[in-house]
Amino acid sequence: MPVMLPPLDEVLAGASVVSVPMRVRFRGVTVREAVLLQGPLGWGEFSPFVEYEDVEAASWLAAGLEAGWTGWPTPLRDQVPVNATVPAIGAEEVAALLDRFDGCDTVKVKVAEPGQSVAEDLARVRAVRAHWPDAAIRVDANGAWSVAEAMTALRALSEVGLQYVEQPCRTVEELVELRHALDRDRVQVPLAADESIRKADDPLRVARSGAVEFAVVKVAPLGGVAATLTIADQLAALGVRMVVSSALDTSVGIAAGLAAAGALPDEPLACGLGTVTFFTADVCEDPLLPVAGRLPVRAHAPVPNPAPFAADAARTAWWIDRLTRCWRVLEARAS
């Protein structure tokens, strides 16, 4: 189902720029900015990270427009499991943070934070294992390690027992090299790709390489729910299991991730969609927070109340200009 490109003036008329404070620093962010888009079918979100160029950010706009103007496919289930997420915090903070994730049995832990050591990563992961002994644990390095650094880190982290490590190295070639090195040294850690899919000209190249067993996908960077489901079918044909995750969205954007997970042919692995808990408050009065480790799949995003989170005039102007540029990118793609 192609994403409809509504007139720019119509998109701007329904756009609200918001700034939402966070409980902890996550991905270097302490305040999350987003544009909420009201269309005839409901609400969408446009929130590419500020450093992304327009060509990349335009796919995020396509996802927001799909939510408000095209709609999502009929779901095959009414709820999906989600994982808890632990940012690069001190080990002593882990237990209190995990207690905010009601009933989750899978945990994703951020590692390889600039300025932190493998010892700090290991302490954080050990704290997760100590607090939730039976949890499935994933770690995410965001492509920060070289192959040698990944081998050193994963030899240490493997003691805890990992479901997978997400994007340990930046390039597909490095992931292939790492896979061979782990197998050679009998280090039992499956690999997952994230940036190698959502930032790649050919998102399936890493799957075809044989280096990864899992793929972490995010609806906004891929251009919407329909595009995500197409990638899911292709990944499944290559024997790669998919995990739907968040791009640090508000509940409006999280609903799109849930729509994708809810329309997958098979029951999804625990999704990384429980991240609304990182906000001090959410733009929706009924935020999408995990209950018994699951989130509901909805036909449309929950209705937000942007007013209390309105960005200041300068940031609003910056985002509206960015949205306009990205709309032009989509217009050029459609021509």
Side-chain angles (χ1 to χ4, degrees):
M1 169 163 50
V3 174
M4 179 186 299
L5 186 61
L8 178 59
D9 58 354
E10 183 179 335
V11 176
L12 295 177
S16 300
V17 182
V18 296
S19 178
V20 187
M22 302 189 64
R23 297 179 189 275
V24 294
R25 179 181 296 272
F26 191 88
R27 203 186 173 279
V29 173
T30 56
V31 175
R32 187 68 168 116
E33 294 179 331
V35 185
L36 304 181
L37 305 169
Q38 185 174 21
L41 298 182
W43 289 82
E45 179 171 329
F46 172 61
S47 56
F49 294 105
V50 294
E51 68 270 21
Y52 290 2
E53 299 293 337
D54 291 349
V55 170
E56 183 175 1
S59 294
W60 298 59
L61 179 56
L65 297 177
E66 177 193 58
W69 279 263
T70 304
W72 298 324
T74 302
L76 301 179
R77 55 193 61 84
D78 59 9
Q79 56 181 351
V80 298
V82 297
N83 64 252
T85 302
V86 176
I89 57 177
E92 70 283 357
E93 302 174 78
V94 165
L97 186 142
L98 286 178
D99 287 341
R100 297 195 192 115
F101 291 90
D102 176 52
C104 295
D105 59 9
T106 302
V107 184
K108 174 176 171 176
V109 186
K110 289 289 184 177
V111 295
E113 182 81 358
Q116 294 187 358
S117 66
V118 172
E120 289 171 290
D121 291 338
L122 181 57
R124 187 180 311 114
V125 175
R126 282 175 170 168
V128 171
R129 178 62 73 208
H131 195 61
W132 285 0
D134 299 324
I137 298 178
R138 310 160 171 173
V139 298
D140 181 10
N142 286 118
W145 290 323
S146 67
V147 173
E149 289 168 337
M151 285 298 297
T152 297
L154 294 177
R155 285 191 187 101
L157 293 169
S158 63
E159 74 162 51
V160 181
L162 299 178
Q163 186 180 55
Y164 59 71
V165 55
E166 180 179 334
Q167 202 69 43
C169 304
R170 185 175 61 86
T171 70
V172 173
E173 290 76 14
E174 287 173 318
L175 291 174
V176 171
E177 183 182 348
L178 177 60
R179 177 73 275 153
H180 292 327
L182 290 169
D183 292 344
R184 181 193 64 226
D185 292 359
R186 298 184 180 181
V187 179
Q188 301 297 315
V189 180
L191 303 185
D194 176 6
E195 287 86 349
S196 290
I197 291 174
R198 64 181 169 88
K199 286 180 169 287
D201 292 334
D202 179 2
L204 296 176
R205 178 171 171 246
V206 67
R208 289 194 296 267
S209 76
V212 302
E213 294 96 318
F214 299 88
V216 179
V217 301
K218 297 168 183 176
V219 166
L222 290 176
V225 173
T228 301
L229 294 174
T230 297
I231 291 287
D233 288 343
Q234 295 167 330
L235 289 169
L238 293 167
V240 175
R241 302 185 72 184
M242 194 178 85
V243 177
V244 180
S245 194
S246 158
L248 203 55
D249 317 280
T250 73
S251 286
V252 174
I254 291 293
L258 291 168
L264 292 172
D266 300 318
E267 175 76 9
L269 292 168
C271 301
L273 296 172
T275 52
V276 170
T277 191
F278 290 131
F279 300 131
T280 59
D282 186 55
V283 296
C284 298
E285 294 179 0
D286 182 20
L288 289 171
L289 297 170
V291 176
R294 304 179 82 83
L295 282 171
V297 178
R298 300 171 180 240
H300 307 284
V303 176
N305 178 18
F309 303 93
D312 64 31
R315 295 308 297 164
T316 295
W318 187 91
W319 275 99
I320 293 302
D321 181 64
R322 189 187 198 193
L323 188 158
T324 299
R325 299 194 313 268
C326 289
W327 187 94
R328 302 285 183 206
V329 173
L330 295 180
E331 181 184 40
R333 288 179 186 172
S335 62

